[in-house]
């Protein structure tokens, strides 16, 4: 093959994942994704789109076309603040916010996000703390996120933490519910259900 | 009728002023509330990003506990916009998707719980305007907020995609309440624009930009303060102002208070009971003095 500058930037059909679109569209109510008319309303109303590498409209097109690697490693979904502007304005009633969530879940599952990038780290830390105690303790959550991403930044945030604490707006203990066993039984049953669905071949959703 | 009160994690920490002022205002308006016993986290936006079905299970436990408490006609009062959305989203998905419903029902049963779907999830703004009514609020006003220009800020998740109590694009409930309290409300286009949510903690520069855009617009339009109805909005808009001064040249400081704190002030309740001592940016002194009132806003 001839090699010129940027030859490897050209995308061929073989590099795409033909099942990516249908997989994302399998989330509850996700089938409408395939009906996108590329009007760009979502990108127009999205307050984060100026800072994204791909706009929401582009992400929807790329999902449908099977650009899995590019979508999962883009920053767009991590910049999405779940404000639901796109979802309520989309003329085809595509639940774009939920599509962004599905992409986030798949990226976390497959471990493809930029190393030490704070958003997925915060999401995972939040998940584990709530799974253990039933509540989230904002202070400890942030401490763990900074330790795993950028410990230096924690020092810079210490003043904010102190100011919050001084006004009684940040506790130092860990919040927890009383009947943790009840929650654990609930989660375990949920996990078993998901496993059973997977075995039965129903659950392929992200 | 007693409302089952769901505070959520933020109201026990950064949003304590909301927790305190809401309870005071309910007492003043004779709205009986009872905190949901052993409530758990709503899952916020992070949980959805890791495991969707567990996010629904979290909300389902809260709904099941609330239903048990309310004997089948439960009205749940949910002040935090993220909790309000999370609980509503679970409620909608349980109704719309039988597969999710079946899975959640089985998991609830394993934990000795059950949920029939009859809890109504309501924001205090909704309850105050629809159930209590402006007349009863007006009757309680002792120190009108005359002369105070308020920018009412709803943020995103309170009105989108599930709120039924107000218009998604141009909600006006908070404006109605502020007007009843005697304050002046400003007209502005950013009342439902996103504050940045948890981005201030992760991709700080982007998060701060979003909050800055809201504050600077409120300032340009002459607002003395911003009123909020969500603990994350309040935290983002208020606590990072120092950084916004340096980075984007935010001009001075803009007070950001919960709408319940302003209600409490107009009712003549004390600063401390409303958690006003917890604000980073103090509320402005009253400029014009209302006839018959004569008290300062900071009381
Ligand atoms: S608003 Fe809807 S139809 Fe239009 S581009 Fe976005 S996803 Fe497609
Ligand atoms: S939900 Fe996400 S993608 Fe949609 S408008 Fe809001 S920030 Fe943009």
């Amino acid at each position: 093959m001839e090699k010129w500058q940027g030859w490897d930037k050209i995308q061929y059909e073989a590099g795409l994942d033909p099942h990516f679109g249908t997989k994302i569209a399998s989330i509850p109510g996700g089938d409408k994704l395939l009906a996108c008319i590329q009007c760009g309303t979502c990108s127009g109303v999205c307050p984060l789109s100026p800072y994204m590498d791909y706009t929401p409209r582009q992400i929807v097109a790329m999902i449908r076309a099977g650009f899995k690697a590019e979508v999962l490693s883009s920053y767009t979904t991590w910049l999405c603040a779940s404000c639901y502007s796109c979802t309520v304005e989309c003329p085809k009633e595509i639940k774009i916010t939920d599509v962004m969530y599905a992409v986030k879940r798949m990226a976390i599952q497959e471990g493809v996000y930029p190393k030490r990038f704070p958003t997925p780290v915060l999401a995972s830390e939040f998940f584990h703390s709530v799974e253990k105690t039933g509540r989230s303790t904002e202070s400890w959550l942030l401490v763990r996120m900074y330790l795993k991403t950028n410990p230096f930044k924690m020092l810079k945030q210490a003043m904010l933490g102190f100011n919050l604490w001084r006004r009684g707006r940040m506790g130092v203990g860990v919040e927890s519910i009383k009947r943790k066993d009840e929650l654990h039984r609930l989660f375990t049953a949920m996990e078993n259900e998901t496993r059973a669905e997977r075995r039965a071949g129903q659950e392929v959703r992200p | 009728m007693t409302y089952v009160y769901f505070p959520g994690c933020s109201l026990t920490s950064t949003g304590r002023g909301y927790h305190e002022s809401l309870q005071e205002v309910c007492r003043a308006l004779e709205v009986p509330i009872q905190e949901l016993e052993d409530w758990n986290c709503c899952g916020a936006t992070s949980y959805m990003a890791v495991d969707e079905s567990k996010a629904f299970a979290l909300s389902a436990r809260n709904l099941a506990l609330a239903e048990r408490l309310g004997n089948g006609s439960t009205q749940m009062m949910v002040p935090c916009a993220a909790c309000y959305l999370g609980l509503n989203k679970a409620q909608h998905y349980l109704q719309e998707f039988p597969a999710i419903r079946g899975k959640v029902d089985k998991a609830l049963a394993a934990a000795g719980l059950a949920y029939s779907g009859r809890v109504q999830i309501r924001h205090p703004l909704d309850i105050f305007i629809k159930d209590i009514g402006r007349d009863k609020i007006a009757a309680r006003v002792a120190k009108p907020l005359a002369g105070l220009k308020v920018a009412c800020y709803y943020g995103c998740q309170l009105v989108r995609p599930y709120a039924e109590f107000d218009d998604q694009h141009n909600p006006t409930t908070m404006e109605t309440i502020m007007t009843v309290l005697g304050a002046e409300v400003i007209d502005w286009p950013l009342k439902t624009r996103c504050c940045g949510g948890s981005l201030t903690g992760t991709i700080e520069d982007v998060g701060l930009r979003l909050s800055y855009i809201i504050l600077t617009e409120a300032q340009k339009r002459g607002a003395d303060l911003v009123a909020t109805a969500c603990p994350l909005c309040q935290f983002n808009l208020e606590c990072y102002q120092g950084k916004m001064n340096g980075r984007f040249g935010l001009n001075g400081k803009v007070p950001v208070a919960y709408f319940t704190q302003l209600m409490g002030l107009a009712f003549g309740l004390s600063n401390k009971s409303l958690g006003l001592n917890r604000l980073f940016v103090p509320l402005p002194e009253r400029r014009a003095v209302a006839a018959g009132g004569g008290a300062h806003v900071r009381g």
Side-chain angles (χ1 to χ4, degrees):
Chain A
M1 196 199 287
E2 258 186 280
K3 290 189 182 170
W4 65 94
Q5 193 191 358
W7 66 276
D8 56 341
K9 296 241 162 70
I10 294 185
Q11 299 266 359
Y12 297 99
E13 290 83 343
L16 303 177
D17 178 345
H19 306 298
F20 184 50
T22 41
K23 204 161 179 181
I24 297 284
S26 72
I27 58 171
D31 48 334
K32 292 196 174 127
L33 172 70
L34 307 172
C36 169
I37 52 171
Q38 288 291 295
C39 67
T41 304
C42 48
S43 307
V45 297
C46 175
L48 273 316
S49 68
Y51 320 114
M52 289 171 169
D53 46 358
Y54 299 108
T55 63
R57 177 191 63 80
Q58 287 175 310
I59 286 287
V60 171
M62 289 162 73
I63 291 173
R64 210 164 45 169
F67 286 84
K68 181 177 173 185
E70 289 79 1
V71 170
L72 290 195
S73 59
S74 92
Y75 286 82
T76 295
T77 48
W78 302 115
L79 277 168
C80 168
S82 312
C83 78
Y84 291 85
S85 297
C86 51
T87 299
V88 300
E89 302 301 347
C90 171
K92 301 300 276 184
E93 298 178 350
I94 297 166
K95 297 183 174 187
I96 304 150
T97 314
D98 289 339
V99 169
M100 295 288 181
Y101 274 131
V103 173
K104 287 181 210 184
R105 286 196 293 273
M106 207 187 261
I108 289 179
Q109 273 163 25
E110 305 198 0
V112 280
Y113 50 82
K115 282 241 152 22
R116 292 152 66 86
F117 187 54
T119 325
V121 173
L122 181 69
S124 306
E125 287 299 325
F126 184 93
F127 180 80
H128 293 305
S129 112
V130 173
E131 191 154 71
K132 248 190 264 156
T133 65
R135 291 203 185 155
S136 86
T137 310
E138 287 159 338
S139 45
W140 288 110
L141 204 61
L142 288 173
V143 166
R144 279 201 303 273
M145 179 193 77
Y146 288 131
L147 284 178
K148 289 201 173 166
T149 54
N150 185 353
F152 178 66
K153 205 163 159 230
M154 187 157 67
L155 296 177
K156 292 211 285 193
Q157 299 289 21
M159 200 57 203
L160 175 61
F162 175 72
N163 280 330
L164 285 168
W165 173 79
R166 210 157 54 94
R167 289 172 174 81
R169 290 173 67 172
M170 187 179 266
V172 284
V174 174
E175 293 280 330
S176 173
I177 61 170
K178 274 182 282 170
R179 295 190 299 281
K180 283 189 270 191
D181 54 314
E182 193 176 280
L183 192 67
H184 290 163
R185 268 183 287 152
L186 185 68
F187 280 154
T188 312
M190 223 50 200
E191 281 162 20
N192 293 339
E193 287 295 313
T194 306
R195 261 197 295 275
E197 277 175 7
R198 280 217 180 102
R199 269 199 303 276
Q202 292 166 356
E203 166 90 357
V204 283
R205 321 196 253 110
Chain B
M1 177 194 31
T2 300
Y3 294 88
V4 175
Y5 173 47
F6 180 85
C9 303
S10 293
L11 270 77
T12 64
S13 58
T14 51
R16 265 179 76 181
Y18 198 6
H19 187 51
E20 291 161 340
S21 57
L22 177 61
Q23 293 182 85
E24 285 297 314
V25 166
C26 283
R27 197 169 303 141
L29 291 171
E30 293 163 346
V31 180
I33 55 174
Q34 182 187 1
E35 186 167 326
L36 179 63
E37 182 268 339
D38 210 33
W39 56 268
N40 56 259
C41 166
C42 72
T45 51
S46 298
Y47 229 76
M48 251 323 143
V50 182
D51 189 325
E52 186 186 44
S53 58
K54 281 191 184 167
F56 291 140
L58 274 176
S59 286
R61 179 175 179 269
N62 287 323
L63 292 169
L65 294 178
E67 193 172 60
R68 193 159 72 188
L69 211 63
N71 292 324
S73 64
T74 307
Q75 303 271 330
M76 204 171 177
M77 183 191 272
V78 186
C80 166
C83 301
Y84 180 78
L85 172 80
L87 289 162
N88 262 311
K89 187 166 184 172
Q91 179 95 318
H92 274 82
Y93 273 66
L94 290 174
Q95 273 163 14
E96 272 172 56
F97 303 102
I100 297 178
R101 170 96 220 202
K103 199 167 160 178
V104 167
D105 278 348
K106 274 191 214 159
L108 282 175
L113 297 165
Y115 180 53
S116 76
R118 282 202 298 266
V119 171
Q120 283 196 40
I121 301 146
R122 305 187 59 195
H123 191 270
L125 277 173
D126 175 17
I127 293 171
F128 290 159
I129 209 80
K130 294 256 164 74
D131 299 2
I132 312 305
R134 47 183 300 167
D135 292 345
K136 195 157 176 207
I137 300 173
R140 192 63 185 74
V141 173
K143 296 178 179 178
L145 304 179
L148 203 65
K149 283 194 184 154
V150 183
C152 296
Y153 176 66
Y154 298 79
C156 48
Q157 300 191 331
L158 180 56
V159 284
R160 283 190 302 266
Y162 295 122
E164 278 135 25
F165 69 94
D166 207 336
D167 188 84
Q168 269 181 357
H169 296 98
N170 186 21
T172 50
T173 308
M174 223 189 301
E175 276 88 351
T176 306
I177 293 179
M178 289 305 135
T179 312
V180 169
L181 302 181
E184 207 180 305
V185 294
I186 65 148
D187 185 26
W188 66 320
L190 302 187
K191 53 173 126 167
T192 65
R193 199 181 198 270
C194 173
C195 71
S198 55
L199 286 174
T200 38
T202 53
I203 313 173
E204 190 185 85
D205 201 54
V206 174
L208 291 185
R209 266 166 215 269
L210 265 71
S211 289
Y212 162 75
I213 290 170
I214 288 158
L215 287 174
T216 195
E217 185 65 26
Q219 252 182 348
K220 270 190 212 148
R221 292 181 181 244
D224 296 319
L225 63 93
V226 175
T228 62
C230 167
L232 191 55
C233 297
Q234 200 280 341
F235 178 65
N236 278 343
L237 293 180
E238 188 193 29
C239 301
Y240 290 102
Q241 284 189 22
K243 285 190 177 166
M244 290 180 224
N245 291 123
R247 228 172 281 187
F248 308 119
L250 177 71
N251 190 5
K253 303 242 171 182
V254 188
V256 184
Y258 294 107
F259 77 99
T260 43
Q261 291 178 316
L262 297 173
M263 288 177 83
L265 274 180
F267 293 173
L269 307 177
S270 78
N271 282 0
K272 189 145 185 292
S273 73
L274 299 171
L276 289 172
N277 50 323
R278 304 188 191 284
L279 291 179
F280 280 37
V281 184
L283 295 185
E285 295 285 340
R286 171 114 28 123
R287 283 179 306 209
V289 173
H296 286 280
V297 166
R298 298 191 64 194

